[in-house]
Amino acid sequence: MVNYEAMFIVKPDLNEEQQKELYAQLGEVITRHNGGIVESKVWSERRRLAYPIKKSQDGIYYLVSFKAEAKQVLALKQAYRLNENILRLLVVRKD
């Protein structure tokens, strides 16, 4: 298994309950694809974006470190693209 980090920019207008539910869903997708979460946390509570993304000027940054097979990363990205509360996603391999 390979170490990865995923940075999500999430819609800022979600209330606390919706945020917790979304963060749980993010981790659930990884475990469903035979991965394991090492660490997950809110990296920045609310930041101004350099340019609007899906009509949002602000975003919440959420960082997840996880382990997964290389072939599963594409499936993870596709699953995350279906979630309308995620504005942007970046997955990088961590050595």
Side-chain angles (χ1 to χ4, degrees), residues 5-76:
E5 276 189 345
M7 176 66 74
F8 299 91
I9 302 178
V10 179
K11 285 186 176 180
D13 56 353
L14 300 175
N15 63 32
E16 228 177 280
E17 182 68 31
Q18 291 171 324
Q19 286 178 9
K20 288 180 182 179
E21 185 178 317
L22 176 63
Y23 301 153
Q25 289 174 359
L26 297 177
E28 188 178 297
V29 170
I30 292 170
T31 55
R32 197 174 338 124
H33 287 91
N34 300 324
I37 297 175
V38 177
E39 181 183 13
S40 61
K41 62 182 177 179
V42 174
W43 185 70
S44 179
E45 193 58 45
R46 188 177 180 115
R47 288 191 99 158
R48 190 90 170 143
L49 302 174
Y51 54 89
I53 301 174
K54 296 181 184 176
K55 299 181 182 178
S56 290
Q57 295 288 336
D58 298 325
I60 298 171
Y61 286 71
Y62 189 70
L63 180 67
V64 178
S65 297
F66 64 97
K67 291 183 178 211
E69 295 294 331
K71 60 185 175 184
Q72 295 296 329
V73 174
L74 182 60
L76 287 172

Side-chain angles (χ1 to χ4, degrees), residues 76-93:
L76 287 172
K77 287 181 183 180
Q78 290 173 345
Y80 289 135
R81 284 192 186 114
L82 297 175
N83 193 326
E84 59 192 33
N85 291 321
I86 299 173
L87 300 175
R88 280 286 192 271
L89 163 68
L90 175 68
V91 179
V92 294
R93 185 176 176 160

